[in-house]
Amino acid sequence: MTRDEGEQKHGEQKQGEQQHGVQRRAAPMSDAAFTLLVQGVLDYGIFMLDPQGYIISWNAGAERIKGYRAEDIVGQHFSVFYPPEDQASGKPQWELETAVADGRLEDEGWRVRKDGSRFWANVVITALWNDQGVLQGFGKVTRDMSERRAAQHALSERRRLFDHLVQAQETERRRIAWDVHDDSIQAMVAVGMRLELLADRVPEEYAAELQRLDTSVREAIGRLRSLTFRLHPPGIDRHGLVEGLASHLEDVVGSSWGMAYSLAYELEREPTPETAITIFRIVQEALLNVHKHARANRVDVRVASADGGIVTRVVDDGTGTPVSQDGARDHFGVIEMRERAETAGGWWSMHSRPGTGTTVEFWVPNPLPAEAPAPGPEPKSDEP
């Protein structure tokens, strides 16, 4: 054999091996292997129905989910899996007719096990046709969704309770704010007016003391007004989250504290009132920590939609130690921020390095809006 003939033979052999390899990779699964695969699946009930809806095959997953052994259920009508009310309404037959008309049907609802217990199922029924277009039957895939539905129900219930708690807290805060505004502040304003009247009547030697007393009263009124604002900031009920944050930053951070600030927001939609209040309260506490401990010149707040919720960052340029080591109230403030976020179903974090400032970051879910209760009236003016 010459060298050229050898190379030609080797090339033909290699080509044949490659072709053989391609054929092996592309070889379709045999009926026996496919049946073995279907029978071995445990998480899904996979079985077939004849054109009238009678069961003609049954896999291990169907036995695990529904409780029937193959010899007990093959030959029975698949409507046995439906609750009596669905059987009475003709739902099983309607599902077959829909699968024939549309090619497939997907449904979620209650189904019944052999022992009579109900479970929440996701069901897909597919119409099966031969090459001549004749209906051969149906393929049916069932998945037990009971655990997922229970988890969703628990999450919904937790959210409902949380919203109720937030509303109750805000109602109580609003009531206290009104009481302070309409009672305590008004009484202090009246004292201030009396002191002004006395200023022209008392002897000169008492004037300085009277002036100090008047200053103390004015400072007390200012502190009480600040308290009512913290308890129930104006605008959060009527104008939403962004307006409430902007007002707080302008009136408190900018005007009262003299600190530079910025507010950036990127919201896909306005949060629900409960979500807005939760975010506002956490930001409010974070800003208070910055004011009391960070020795910062600037604070930046950013609110943005993310992952089906809202992520918020409060960043300052302070010392990087925003919480005192021995302040019980300050430690409670940190706990309160975290608990508010986590109770809402979100997360909260705070990280800093000395000399580089501190970042408070948190995320809370933003569920679809529900009908909110009408806000109460604003407190009366305290002008004399």
Side-chain angles (χ1 to χ4, degrees), residues 191-208:
V191 171
M193 294 175 61
R194 291 176 182 272
L195 289 174
E196 289 180 0
L197 294 174
L198 287 174
D200 298 330
R201 302 178 184 179
V202 299
E204 185 65 27
E205 60 268 25
Y206 298 113

Side-chain angles (χ1 to χ4, degrees), residues 37-351:
L37 172 64
V38 171
Q39 290 297 331
V41 173
L42 295 178
D43 293 333
Y44 294 83
I46 304 174
F47 53 98
M48 290 186 62
L49 311 175
D50 69 10
Q52 288 72 45
Y54 290 92
I55 301 163
I56 57 177
S57 74
W58 195 249
N59 81 327
E63 179 177 339
R64 185 186 69 84
I65 294 172
K66 298 178 182 290
Y68 291 92
R69 299 177 63 184
E71 54 266 31
D72 298 327
I73 195 64
V74 170
Q76 294 194 45
H77 198 269
F78 85 111
S79 59
V80 70
F81 305 133
Y82 289 72
E85 61 272 19
D86 286 347
Q87 294 184 27
S89 67
K91 182 176 181 179
Q93 186 60 34
W94 172 84
E95 290 190 343
L96 294 184
E97 294 171 356
T98 302
V100 170
D102 299 338
R104 70 189 295 274
L105 171 136
E106 183 170 359
D107 176 49
E108 284 199 7
W110 292 111
R111 296 296 185 269
V112 180
R113 297 186 179 92
K114 181 180 180 181
D115 62 6
S117 62
R118 297 192 180 199
F119 67 99
W120 190 260
N122 173 270
V123 174
V124 177
I125 301 177
T126 305
L128 305 175
W129 311 83
N130 64 13
D131 294 340
Q132 289 74 40
V134 178
L135 180 68
Q136 300 298 294
F138 302 89
K140 195 167 187 290
V141 179
T142 301
R143 186 180 181 188
D144 187 350
M145 307 296 288
S146 301
E147 291 185 4
R148 191 186 74 171
R149 186 172 186 270
Q152 290 175 339
H153 179 75
L155 183 61
S156 299
E157 182 66 13
R158 175 181 175 182
R159 185 72 206 186
R160 187 189 67 81
L161 293 174
F162 173 75
D163 290 348
H164 178 74
L165 175 62
V166 169
Q167 292 173 5
Q169 287 178 335
E170 291 305 310
T171 298
E172 184 64 13
R173 284 173 177 263
R174 188 184 299 115
R175 185 190 65 78
I176 295 173
W178 290 345
D179 287 346
V180 172
H181 186 279
D182 295 342
D183 186 273
S184 302
I185 290 181
Q186 299 303 323
M188 296 298 288
V189 168
V191 171
M193 294 175 61
R194 291 176 182 272
L195 289 174
E196 289 180 0
L197 294 174
L198 287 174
D200 298 330
R201 302 178 184 179
V202 299
E204 185 65 27
E205 60 268 25
Y206 298 113
E209 184 65 28
L210 192 63
Q211 181 60 41
R212 285 193 292 271
L213 182 59
D214 182 65
T215 300
S216 297
V217 170
R218 292 179 182 274
E219 290 175 350
I221 293 174
R223 288 193 295 271
L224 288 172
R225 284 175 174 166
S226 177
L227 174 62
T228 60
F229 184 88
R230 289 189 60 198
L231 285 170
H232 183 63
I236 189 69
D237 288 336
R238 298 180 184 275
H239 306 299
L241 175 63
V242 172
E243 188 71 23
L245 289 175
S247 176
H248 185 74
L249 287 166
E250 179 181 358
D251 296 341
V252 177
V253 177
S255 299
S256 298
W257 299 346
M259 187 183 300
Y261 67 88
S262 71
L263 173 63
Y265 55 92
E266 239 179 273
L267 295 177
E268 296 174 354
R269 57 184 171 85
E270 182 67 26
T272 62
E274 294 78 20
T275 301
I277 290 170
T278 298
I279 294 172
F280 181 89
R281 292 301 184 194
I282 297 175
V283 171
Q284 188 180 40
E285 189 65 39
L287 292 173
L288 184 61
N289 278 336
V290 171
H291 172 61
K292 294 172 69 174
H293 307 295
R295 297 199 291 275
N297 297 311
R298 180 181 181 84
V299 63
D300 300 298
V301 179
R302 186 176 187 276
V303 184
S305 298
D307 300 327
I310 297 176
V311 63
T312 305
R313 293 182 182 90
V314 180
V315 184
D316 68 71
D317 64 352
T319 61
T321 54
V323 182
S324 64
Q325 299 301 314
D326 57 352
R329 172 63 184 91
D330 302 322
H331 180 63
F332 175 77
V334 171
I335 294 175
E336 182 182 22
M337 284 190 283
R338 177 181 287 109
E339 287 188 345
R340 277 185 178 272
E342 292 179 352
T343 304
W347 52 263
W348 178 94
S349 70
M350 181 172 67
H351 49 90

